[in-house]
Coordinates of all heavy atoms in Angstrom, one line a residue:
L575 N -23.8 13.4 44.7 CA -22.8 14.4 44.6 C -23.3 15.3 43.4 O -23.8 14.9 42.4 CB -21.5 13.8 44.1 CG -20.8 12.8 45.1 CD1 -20.5 11.6 44.3 CD2 -19.6 13.4 45.7
E576 N -23.0 16.6 43.7 CA -23.2 17.6 42.6 C -21.9 17.9 42.0 O -21.0 18.3 42.7 CB -23.9 18.8 43.1 CG -24.5 19.7 41.9 CD -24.9 21.1 42.4 OE1 -24.7 21.4 43.6 OE2 -25.5 21.8 41.6
V577 N -21.7 17.6 40.7 CA -20.4 17.6 40.1 C -20.4 18.6 38.9 O -21.5 18.7 38.3 CB -20.0 16.2 39.6 CG1 -18.8 16.2 38.8 CG2 -19.9 15.2 40.8
V578 N -19.4 19.3 38.6 CA -19.4 20.2 37.5 C -18.6 19.6 36.3 O -17.5 19.2 36.4 CB -18.7 21.5 37.9 CG1 -18.8 22.6 36.8 CG2 -19.3 22.1 39.2
A579 N -19.3 19.6 35.2 CA -18.8 19.1 33.9 C -17.5 19.9 33.5 O -17.4 21.1 33.9 CB -19.8 19.1 32.8
P580 N -16.6 19.4 32.7 CA -15.4 20.1 32.3 C -15.8 21.5 31.7 O -16.9 21.6 31.1 CB -14.7 19.2 31.3 CG -15.3 17.8 31.6 CD -16.6 18.0 32.1
R581 N -14.9 22.4 31.8 CA -15.1 23.8 31.4 C -15.5 23.9 29.9 O -16.4 24.6 29.5 CB -13.8 24.6 31.6 CG -13.9 26.0 31.3 CD -12.6 26.7 31.3 NE -11.7 26.0 30.3 CZ -10.4 26.2 30.2 NH1 -9.8 27.0 31.0 NH2 -9.7 25.5 29.3
D582 N -14.7 23.2 29.0 CA -15.0 23.3 27.6 C -14.3 22.2 26.8 O -13.7 21.4 27.4 CB -14.5 24.7 27.1 CG -13.0 25.0 27.3 OD1 -12.3 24.0 27.6 OD2 -12.6 26.1 27.3
G583 N -14.5 22.3 25.5 CA -14.0 21.2 24.6 C -12.5 21.3 24.4 O -11.8 20.4 23.9
R584 N -11.9 22.4 24.9 CA -10.4 22.5 24.8 C -9.8 21.6 25.9 O -8.9 20.8 25.6 CB -10.0 23.9 25.0 CG -10.4 24.9 24.0 CD -10.2 26.3 24.5 NE -10.4 27.3 23.4 CZ -10.3 28.6 23.6 NH1 -10.0 29.1 24.8 NH2 -10.5 29.4 22.6
R585 N -10.3 21.8 27.1 CA -9.9 20.9 28.2 C -10.3 19.5 28.0 O -9.6 18.5 28.3 CB -10.4 21.5 29.5 CG -9.8 20.9 30.7 CD -10.3 21.6 32.0 NE -9.6 22.8 32.2 CZ -10.0 23.8 33.1 NH1 -11.0 23.6 33.8 NH2 -9.3 24.9 33.2
A586 N -11.6 19.3 27.5 CA -12.2 18.0 27.5 C -12.9 17.8 26.1 O -14.1 18.2 26.0 CB -13.1 17.8 28.6
P587 N -12.2 17.4 25.1 CA -12.9 17.3 23.8 C -14.2 16.5 23.9 O -14.3 15.6 24.6 CB -11.9 16.6 22.9 CG -10.5 16.9 23.5 CD -10.8 17.0 25.0
P588 N -15.2 16.9 23.1 CA -16.6 16.3 23.2 C -16.6 14.9 22.8 O -15.7 14.4 22.0 CB -17.4 17.1 22.2 CG -16.4 17.7 21.2 CD -15.2 18.0 22.0
G589 N -17.5 14.1 23.5 CA -17.6 12.7 23.2 C -17.9 12.0 24.5 O -18.3 12.6 25.5
R590 N -17.6 10.7 24.5 CA -18.0 9.8 25.6 C -16.8 9.6 26.5 O -15.7 9.4 26.1 CB -18.5 8.5 25.1 CG -19.1 7.6 26.1 CD -19.7 6.3 25.5 NE -21.0 6.5 25.0 CZ -21.4 6.5 23.7 NH1 -20.5 6.2 22.8 NH2 -22.6 6.7 23.3
W591 N -17.1 9.8 27.8 CA -16.1 9.6 28.9 C -16.5 8.6 29.9 O -17.7 8.5 30.1 CB -15.9 11.0 29.6 CG -15.3 12.1 28.7 CD1 -15.9 12.6 27.6 CD2 -14.0 12.7 28.8 NE1 -15.0 13.6 27.0 CE2 -13.9 13.7 27.8 CE3 -13.0 12.6 29.8 CZ2 -12.8 14.5 27.7 CZ3 -11.9 13.5 29.6 CH2 -11.8 14.4 28.6
H592 N -15.6 8.0 30.6 CA -15.9 7.2 31.8 C -15.9 8.1 33.0 O -14.9 8.9 33.1 CB -14.8 6.2 32.0 CG -14.9 5.0 31.2 ND1 -13.8 4.3 30.6 CD2 -15.9 4.2 30.9 CE1 -14.2 3.3 30.0 NE2 -15.5 3.1 30.1
L593 N -16.9 8.1 33.8 CA -16.8 8.8 35.1 C -16.5 7.9 36.2 O -17.2 6.9 36.4 CB -18.2 9.5 35.3 CG -18.1 10.6 36.4 CD1 -17.7 11.9 35.7 CD2 -19.4 10.7 37.2
F594 N -15.4 8.1 36.9 CA -14.9 7.3 38.0 C -15.1 8.1 39.3 O -14.7 9.3 39.3 CB -13.5 6.9 37.9 CG -13.2 5.8 36.9 CD1 -12.7 6.1 35.6 CD2 -13.3 4.5 37.3 CE1 -12.4 5.1 34.7 CE2 -12.9 3.5 36.4 CZ -12.5 3.8 35.1
L595 N -15.5 7.4 40.4 CA -15.4 8.0 41.7 C -14.3 7.3 42.5 O -14.1 6.1 42.4 CB -16.8 7.8 42.4 CG -18.0 8.2 41.7 CD1 -19.3 7.8 42.6 CD2 -18.0 9.7 41.4
L596 N -13.6 8.1 43.3 CA -12.5 7.5 44.1 C -12.9 7.7 45.6 O -13.4 8.7 46.0 CB -11.2 8.3 43.8 CG -10.4 7.9 42.6 CD1 -11.1 8.1 41.3 CD2 -9.0 8.6 42.6
N597 N -12.7 6.6 46.3 CA -13.1 6.7 47.7 C -12.0 7.4 48.5 O -11.0 7.9 47.9 CB -13.4 5.3 48.3 CG -12.2 4.4 48.6 OD1 -11.0 4.9 48.4 ND2 -12.4 3.2 49.0
A598 N -12.1 7.5 49.8 CA -11.2 8.3 50.6 C -9.8 7.8 50.6 O -8.9 8.5 51.0 CB -11.8 8.4 52.1
S599 N -9.6 6.5 50.2 CA -8.2 6.0 50.1 C -7.7 6.2 48.6 O -6.6 5.7 48.3 CB -8.2 4.6 50.4 OG -8.9 4.3 51.6
G600 N -8.5 6.8 47.8 CA -8.1 7.0 46.4 C -8.3 5.8 45.5 O -7.7 5.7 44.4
V601 N -9.1 4.8 46.0 CA -9.4 3.6 45.1 C -10.6 3.9 44.3 O -11.7 4.3 44.8 CB -9.7 2.4 46.0 CG1 -10.1 1.2 45.2 CG2 -8.4 2.1 46.8
P602 N -10.5 3.7 42.9 CA -11.7 3.9 42.1 C -12.7 2.8 42.1 O -12.3 1.6 42.3 CB -11.0 4.0 40.7 CG -9.8 3.2 40.8 CD -9.3 3.3 42.2
G603 N -14.0 3.1 41.9 CA -15.0 2.1 41.7 C -15.2 1.9 40.2 O -14.3 2.3 39.4
T604 N -16.3 1.2 39.9 CA -16.6 1.0 38.5 C -17.2 2.3 37.9 O -18.0 2.9 38.5 CB -17.5 -0.2 38.3 OG1 -16.8 -1.4 38.8 CG2 -17.9 -0.4 36.9
A605 N -16.7 2.6 36.7 CA -17.2 3.8 36.0 C -18.5 3.6 35.2 O -18.9 2.5 35.0 CB -16.1 4.3 35.0
R606 N -19.1 4.7 34.9 CA -20.3 4.7 34.0 C -20.0 5.7 32.9 O -19.3 6.7 33.2 CB -21.6 5.0 34.7 CG -22.0 4.0 35.6 CD -23.3 3.3 35.1 NE -23.8 2.3 36.0 CZ -25.1 2.3 36.4 NH1 -25.9 3.2 35.9 NH2 -25.5 1.4 37.2
P607 N -20.5 5.5 31.7 CA -20.3 6.5 30.6 C -21.1 7.8 30.7 O -22.3 7.7 31.1 CB -20.6 5.7 29.4 CG -21.5 4.7 29.8 CD -21.3 4.4 31.2
I608 N -20.5 8.9 30.3 CA -21.3 10.1 30.2 C -20.7 10.9 28.9 O -19.5 10.8 28.6 CB -21.1 11.0 31.4 CG1 -22.0 12.2 31.4 CG2 -19.7 11.3 31.8 CD1 -22.2 13.0 32.7
M609 N -21.6 11.6 28.2 CA -21.2 12.4 27.1 C -21.0 13.8 27.5 O -21.9 14.3 28.2 CB -22.3 12.4 26.0 CG -22.7 11.0 25.5 SD -21.6 10.2 24.3 CE -21.7 11.4 23.0
F610 N -19.9 14.4 27.2 CA -19.7 15.8 27.5 C -19.7 16.6 26.2 O -19.3 16.1 25.1 CB -18.3 16.1 28.1 CG -18.2 15.5 29.5 CD1 -17.1 14.9 30.0 CD2 -19.2 15.8 30.4 CE1 -17.0 14.4 31.3 CE2 -19.2 15.3 31.8 CZ -18.0 14.6 32.2
G611 N -20.3 17.8 26.3 CA -20.4 18.7 25.1 C -21.6 18.4 24.3 O -22.5 17.6 24.7
D612 N -21.7 19.1 23.2 CA -22.9 19.0 22.3 C -22.6 17.9 21.3 O -21.7 18.0 20.5 CB -23.2 20.3 21.7 CG -24.3 20.2 20.7 OD1 -24.8 19.1 20.4 OD2 -24.6 21.3 20.1
S613 N -23.3 16.8 21.4 CA -23.0 15.7 20.5 C -23.2 15.9 19.0 O -22.8 15.2 18.2 CB -23.8 14.4 20.9 OG -25.2 14.7 20.6
T614 N -23.8 17.0 18.7 CA -24.0 17.3 17.3 C -23.0 18.2 16.7 O -22.9 18.4 15.5 CB -25.4 18.0 17.0 OG1 -25.4 19.2 17.7 CG2 -26.5 17.1 17.5
T615 N -22.1 18.8 17.5 CA -21.1 19.7 17.0 C -20.2 19.0 16.0 O -19.8 17.8 16.3 CB -20.3 20.3 18.1 OG1 -19.8 19.3 18.9 CG2 -21.0 21.4 18.9
G616 N -19.8 19.7 15.0 CA -18.8 19.2 14.1 C -19.2 18.1 13.2 O -18.5 17.8 12.2
I617 N -20.3 17.4 13.5 CA -20.5 16.2 12.7 C -21.7 16.4 11.7 O -22.8 16.6 12.1 CB -20.9 15.0 13.6 CG1 -19.7 14.8 14.5 CG2 -21.2 13.8 12.8 CD1 -20.0 13.7 15.5
K618 N -21.3 16.5 10.5 CA -22.3 16.6 9.4 C -22.0 15.6 8.4 O -21.8 15.8 7.2 CB -22.3 18.0 8.8 CG -22.6 19.2 9.8 CD -22.4 20.5 9.1 CE -21.9 21.6 10.0 NZ -20.4 21.5 10.3
S619 N -21.9 14.4 8.9 CA -21.5 13.3 8.0 C -22.6 12.9 7.1 O -23.8 13.0 7.4 CB -21.0 12.1 8.8 OG -22.1 11.7 9.7
T620 N -22.2 12.4 5.9 CA -23.2 11.9 5.0 C -23.3 10.4 5.3 O -22.3 9.7 5.3 CB -22.6 12.0 3.5 OG1 -21.8 13.1 3.5 CG2 -23.7 12.0 2.5
R621 N -24.5 10.0 5.7 CA -24.6 8.6 6.1 C -24.7 7.7 4.9 O -25.5 7.9 4.0 CB -25.8 8.4 7.0 CG -25.6 9.3 8.2 CD -25.8 8.5 9.4 NE -25.6 9.4 10.6 CZ -26.4 9.6 11.5 NH1 -27.6 9.0 11.6 NH2 -26.1 10.4 12.5
Q622 N -24.0 6.7 4.9 CA -24.1 5.7 3.8 C -23.7 4.4 4.4 O -22.7 4.2 5.0 CB -23.1 6.1 2.7 CG -23.2 5.3 1.4 CD -22.0 5.5 0.5 OE1 -21.3 6.5 0.6 NE2 -21.7 4.6 -0.4
K623 N -24.6 3.4 4.4 CA -24.4 2.1 5.0 C -23.2 1.4 4.3 O -23.1 1.5 3.0 CB -25.6 1.3 4.9 CG -26.7 1.6 5.9 CD -26.4 0.9 7.2 CE -27.6 1.2 8.1 NZ -27.7 0.9 9.4
S624 N -22.4 0.8 5.0 CA -21.3 0.1 4.4 C -21.7 -0.9 3.4 O -21.0 -1.2 2.5 CB -20.3 -0.4 5.4 OG -21.0 -1.3 6.2
G625 N -22.8 -1.6 3.6 CA -23.3 -2.6 2.7 C -23.5 -2.1 1.3 O -23.5 -2.9 0.4
S626 N -23.6 -0.8 1.2 CA -24.0 -0.3 -0.2 C -22.7 0.1 -1.0 O -22.8 0.8 -2.0 CB -24.9 0.9 0.0 OG -24.2 2.0 0.6
V627 N -21.6 -0.2 -0.5 CA -20.3 0.1 -1.2 C -20.4 -0.5 -2.6 O -20.8 -1.7 -2.7 CB -19.1 -0.5 -0.5 CG1 -17.9 -0.4 -1.4 CG2 -18.9 0.3 0.8
S628 N -20.1 0.2 -3.6 CA -20.3 -0.3 -5.0 C -19.2 -1.4 -5.2 O -18.0 -1.2 -4.8 CB -20.2 0.8 -6.0 OG -18.9 1.4 -5.9
R629 N -19.5 -2.4 -5.9 CA -18.5 -3.4 -6.2 C -17.6 -2.9 -7.2 O -17.9 -2.2 -8.1 CB -19.2 -4.7 -6.7 CG -20.0 -5.4 -5.7 CD -19.1 -6.3 -4.8 NE -19.8 -6.8 -3.6 CZ -19.2 -7.4 -2.6 NH1 -17.8 -7.5 -2.6 NH2 -19.8 -7.8 -1.6
Q630 N -16.3 -3.2 -7.0 CA -15.3 -2.8 -8.0 C -14.3 -3.9 -8.1 O -14.3 -4.8 -7.2 CB -14.6 -1.5 -7.5 CG -14.0 -1.7 -6.1 CD -13.5 -0.4 -5.5 OE1 -14.2 0.4 -5.0 NE2 -12.2 -0.2 -5.5
S631 N -13.5 -3.9 -9.1 CA -12.6 -5.0 -9.2 C -11.4 -4.7 -8.2 O -11.1 -3.6 -7.9 CB -12.0 -5.1 -10.6 OG -11.5 -3.9 -11.0
A632 N -10.9 -5.8 -7.7 CA -9.8 -5.7 -6.7 C -8.6 -5.0 -7.4 O -8.3 -5.3 -8.5 CB -9.4 -7.0 -6.2
P633 N -7.9 -4.1 -6.7 CA -6.7 -3.5 -7.2 C -5.7 -4.6 -7.6 O -5.6 -5.7 -7.0 CB -6.1 -2.7 -6.1 CG -7.3 -2.5 -5.1 CD -8.1 -3.7 -5.3
T634 N -4.9 -4.3 -8.7 CA -4.0 -5.3 -9.1 C -2.7 -5.2 -8.4 O -1.9 -6.1 -8.4 CB -3.7 -5.1 -10.6 OG1 -3.4 -3.7 -10.8 CG2 -4.9 -5.5 -11.5
T635 N -2.4 -4.1 -7.8 CA -1.2 -3.9 -7.0 C -1.2 -4.8 -5.8 O -2.2 -5.1 -5.3 CB -1.0 -2.5 -6.5 OG1 -2.1 -2.1 -5.8 CG2 -0.7 -1.5 -7.6
T636 N 0.0 -5.3 -5.4 CA 0.0 -6.1 -4.3 C 1.1 -5.6 -3.3 O 2.1 -5.1 -3.7 CB 0.4 -7.6 -4.6 OG1 0.8 -8.2 -3.5 CG2 1.5 -7.6 -5.7
A637 N 0.7 -5.7 -2.0 CA 1.6 -5.2 -1.0 C 2.7 -6.2 -0.7 O 3.6 -6.0 0.1 CB 0.8 -4.9 0.3
W638 N 2.7 -7.3 -1.5 CA 3.6 -8.3 -1.2 C 5.0 -8.0 -1.8 O 5.1 -7.8 -3.0 CB 3.1 -9.6 -1.8 CG 3.6 -10.7 -1.1 CD1 4.6 -11.6 -1.5 CD2 3.4 -11.0 0.3 NE1 4.9 -12.4 -0.5 CE2 4.2 -12.1 0.6 CE3 2.5 -10.5 1.3 CZ2 4.2 -12.6 1.9 CZ3 2.6 -11.0 2.5 CH2 3.4 -12.1 2.8
L639 N 6.0 -8.0 -1.0 CA 7.3 -7.7 -1.5 C 8.3 -8.9 -1.2 O 8.1 -9.6 -0.3 CB 7.8 -6.4 -0.9 CG 7.0 -5.2 -1.2 CD1 7.6 -4.0 -0.5 CD2 6.9 -4.9 -2.7
T640 N 9.2 -9.0 -2.0 CA 10.2 -10.0 -1.8 C 11.3 -9.5 -0.8 O 11.4 -8.3 -0.6 CB 10.9 -10.4 -3.1 OG1 11.4 -9.3 -3.7 CG2 10.0 -11.2 -4.0
F641 N 12.0 -10.4 -0.2 CA 12.9 -9.9 0.9 C 14.0 -11.0 1.0 O 13.8 -12.1 0.4 CB 12.2 -9.8 2.2 CG 11.6 -11.0 2.6 CD1 12.2 -11.9 3.5 CD2 10.3 -11.4 2.1 CE1 11.6 -13.1 3.8 CE2 9.7 -12.6 2.5 CZ 10.4 -13.5 3.3
S642 N 15.0 -10.7 1.7 CA 16.0 -11.7 2.0 C 16.3 -11.8 3.4 O 16.4 -10.7 4.1 CB 17.3 -11.5 1.2 OG 18.1 -10.6 1.8
A643 N 16.5 -12.9 4.0 CA 16.8 -13.1 5.4 C 18.1 -12.4 5.7 O 18.2 -11.8 6.8 CB 16.9 -14.6 5.7
V644 N 19.0 -12.3 4.9 CA 20.3 -11.7 5.1 C 20.0 -10.2 5.3 O 20.6 -9.5 6.1 CB 21.3 -11.9 3.9 CG1 22.6 -11.2 4.2 CG2 21.5 -13.4 3.7
G645 N 19.1 -9.7 4.5 CA 18.9 -8.2 4.4 C 18.4 -7.6 5.7 O 18.7 -6.5 6.0
I646 N 17.7 -8.4 6.6 CA 17.2 -7.7 7.8 C 18.1 -8.0 9.0 O 17.9 -7.4 10.0 CB 15.8 -8.2 8.1 CG1 15.8 -9.7 8.5 CG2 14.8 -7.9 7.0 CD1 14.6 -10.1 9.3
A647 N 19.2 -8.7 8.8 CA 20.1 -9.0 9.9 C 20.9 -7.8 10.2 O 21.3 -7.0 9.3 CB 20.9 -10.2 9.7
G648 N 21.2 -7.6 11.5 CA 22.2 -6.6 11.9 C 21.9 -5.2 11.4 O 20.8 -4.7 11.3
A649 N 23.0 -4.5 11.0 CA 23.0 -3.1 10.7 C 22.1 -2.8 9.5 O 21.5 -1.7 9.4 CB 24.4 -2.6 10.4
S650 N 21.9 -3.7 8.5 CA 21.2 -3.4 7.3 C 19.7 -3.5 7.6 O 18.9 -3.3 6.7 CB 21.6 -4.3 6.2 OG 21.4 -5.6 6.6
M651 N 19.3 -3.8 8.8 CA 17.9 -4.0 9.2 C 17.0 -2.8 8.7 O 16.0 -2.9 8.2 CB 17.8 -4.2 10.7 CG 16.3 -4.5 11.1 SD 16.2 -4.3 12.9 CE 16.8 -5.8 13.4
L652 N 17.6 -1.6 9.0 CA 16.8 -0.4 8.8 C 16.5 -0.1 7.3 O 15.6 0.6 7.0 CB 17.6 0.8 9.4 CG 17.5 0.9 10.9 CD1 18.3 2.0 11.4 CD2 16.0 1.0 11.4
A653 N 17.3 -0.7 6.5 CA 17.1 -0.5 5.1 C 15.8 -1.2 4.5 O 15.4 -0.9 3.4 CB 18.3 -0.9 4.3
Y654 N 15.2 -2.0 5.3 CA 14.2 -2.9 4.7 C 12.8 -2.7 5.5 O 12.1 -3.6 5.6 CB 14.6 -4.3 4.7 CG 15.6 -4.6 3.7 CD1 16.9 -4.4 3.9 CD2 15.2 -5.0 2.4 CE1 17.9 -4.6 2.9 CE2 16.1 -5.2 1.4 CZ 17.5 -5.0 1.7 OH 18.4 -5.2 0.7
L655 N 12.7 -1.5 6.0 CA 11.5 -1.4 6.8 C 10.2 -1.0 6.1 O 10.2 0.0 5.3 CB 11.7 -0.2 7.8 CG 12.6 -0.6 9.0 CD1 12.9 0.6 9.8 CD2 11.8 -1.6 9.9

Side-chain angles (χ1 to χ4, degrees):
L575 300 129
E576 195 192 7
V577 172
V578 184
R581 182 193 59 192
D582 58 18
R584 296 167 169 178
R585 188 174 284 169
R590 189 173 277 112
W591 295 64
H592 277 139
L593 195 90
F594 282 97
L595 307 179
L596 277 61
N597 77 5
S599 315
V601 172
T604 296
R606 290 252 185 127
I608 184 165
M609 306 282 295
F610 289 137
D612 175 356
S613 66
T614 61
T615 49
I617 301 180
K618 295 175 216 79
S619 56
T620 330
R621 300 232 176 125
Q622 188 190 340
K623 282 271 186 190
S624 58
S626 65
V627 168
S628 61
R629 288 279 167 193
Q630 59 189 76
S631 56
T634 49
T635 53
T636 164
W638 206 252
L639 299 178
T640 53
F641 59 93
S642 85
V644 180
I646 66 160
S650 56
M651 184 196 277
L652 285 176
Y654 287 85
L655 280 172

